[in-house]
Amino acid sequence: MTDQNGPQDTKERSESSPVTTRRGIRSFVLRQGRMTEGQKKAYERSWPKYGLTREQGMIDPREVFGRDAMLNLEIGFGMGKSLADMAEAAPEQDFIGVEVHLPGVGSLLKEVEDRGLENVRVYNIDGNDVIDLCLPDACLDRVMVFFPDPWHKKKHHKRRLIQHEFVQRIRHKLRVGGVLHLATDWENYAEHMMEVMNESEGFANTQSDGGYSPRPEDRPITKFEKRGERLGHGVWDLLFNRTN
């Protein structure tokens, strides 16, 4: 649902108009991009096993994964390496990834094949539809939105994904005690996220001082994030629990 990007220098930030859907403005901007041959073949081989669709309607995660385990949702996983890293490091947990860009989906499915992962499933649709049409209430233990498009120009701030209405829809999909984990490399967006979360009903900051969180060890550092750190770019993590 995000721009599906990693940190600010992983892809160009588009100023093109967002595509509209039944909910109004989508949470991403469509970009042209071609799948590599490897991504295409991985998609063709593995989508029937790991892919989930809107047409399946409301899923039962226990049936999808064949077990009852901690369930994570990542909205906008980019090229999928970080999601694959998390799934490989926590085989006892299950992960659902959402990504609208086919090259990213193909890339993740190739990672899934190469690593022999069984705890990953993928949606290739707008995350708004995943939240509204595909996931039961209180089914998620963690929702992750890492480095969404910052829409850094002030006139475009209304297009940012992290808004009160979106956060409340996510809240209902989290179990009480579940975590919403946000991360951005734009300080102004971090401030915006913190303002939204502090004013959102049913959430509490995991930090006793009410500030930003240290990066959890289970959030992988991307190569772009490492490069940004060398250039002096900051990264801000926000972790909030659902309280009711």
Side-chain angles (χ1 to χ4, degrees):
M1 298 182 74
T2 71
D3 175 28
Q4 322 294 334
N5 296 341
Q8 63 184 15
D9 52 353
T10 63
K11 288 185 186 176
E12 62 182 293
R13 301 295 192 179
S14 173
E15 298 295 341
S16 59
S17 298
V19 182
T20 58
T21 182
R22 61 185 179 80
R23 294 196 65 89
I25 295 177
R26 280 195 189 271
S27 53
F28 60 90
V29 177
L30 286 175
R31 291 176 173 79
Q32 298 300 317
R34 300 184 65 178
M35 300 173 78
T36 66
E37 194 63 25
Q39 292 166 355
K40 184 178 179 181
K41 288 181 177 178
Y43 181 89
E44 291 171 349
R45 287 190 302 262
S46 292
W47 179 259
K49 179 176 180 180
Y50 298 102
L52 298 171
T53 67
R54 182 190 296 108
E55 289 68 32
Q56 290 173 262
M58 203 71 71
I59 65 169
D60 181 342
R62 293 169 297 185
E63 290 184 3
V64 169
F65 290 97
R67 63 178 182 177
D68 187 4
M70 177 176 172
L71 184 60
N72 304 273
L73 175 71
E74 183 175 4
I75 299 172
F77 57 74
M79 299 309 286
K81 185 178 183 303
S82 293
L83 179 55
D85 286 345
M86 289 188 289
E88 185 175 35
E92 75 283 359
Q93 300 179 25
D94 293 327
F95 294 80
I96 296 175
V98 181
E99 176 57 60
V100 295
H101 300 289
L102 272 175
V105 174
S107 177
L108 175 60
L109 290 174
K110 189 173 187 307
E111 294 279 355
V112 166
E113 287 185 347
D114 291 346
R115 305 183 195 211
L117 303 177
E118 297 293 335
N119 59 338
V120 176
R121 298 295 185 273
V122 186
Y123 280 104
N124 180 216
I125 57 175
D126 180 13
N128 283 303
D129 289 342
V130 174
I131 293 171
D132 293 341
L133 304 176
C134 304
L135 297 177
D137 286 350
C139 73
L140 299 171
D141 293 277
R142 178 171 56 171
V143 176
M144 299 169 285
V145 186
F146 298 153
F147 307 105
D149 194 319
W151 293 106
H152 55 277
K153 292 185 178 180
K154 189 171 183 178
K155 65 180 180 179
H156 292 152
H157 285 185
K158 63 182 180 292
R159 299 179 180 175
R160 287 174 167 175
L161 177 60
I162 306 304
Q163 307 287 355
H164 292 286
E165 185 266 349
F166 176 73
V167 166
Q168 285 303 309
R169 285 163 53 224
I170 285 181
R171 172 189 162 213
H172 293 298
K173 302 305 171 179
L174 281 167
R175 64 171 178 80
V176 174
V179 175
L180 174 57
H181 182 181
L182 310 175
T184 182
D185 54 351
W186 285 76
E187 185 172 13
N188 175 265
Y189 201 2
E191 293 168 350
H192 169 88
M193 289 175 171
M194 184 64 77
E195 180 179 353
V196 168
M197 293 307 302
N198 283 337
E199 295 177 357
S200 290
E201 178 188 353
F203 281 100
N205 196 328
T206 61
Q207 298 300 297
S208 59
D209 64 359
Y212 299 103
S213 299
R215 180 188 62 84
E217 291 185 0
D218 58 2
R219 181 175 74 74
I221 302 178
T222 69
K223 63 180 180 180
F224 302 102
E225 189 176 348
K226 290 178 181 176
R227 187 173 71 183
E229 288 178 351
R230 290 197 301 269
L231 295 173
H233 298 168
V235 173
W236 293 265
D237 286 84
L238 296 80
L239 277 76
F240 279 73
N241 290 122
R242 179 183 175 182
T243 58
N244 61 57

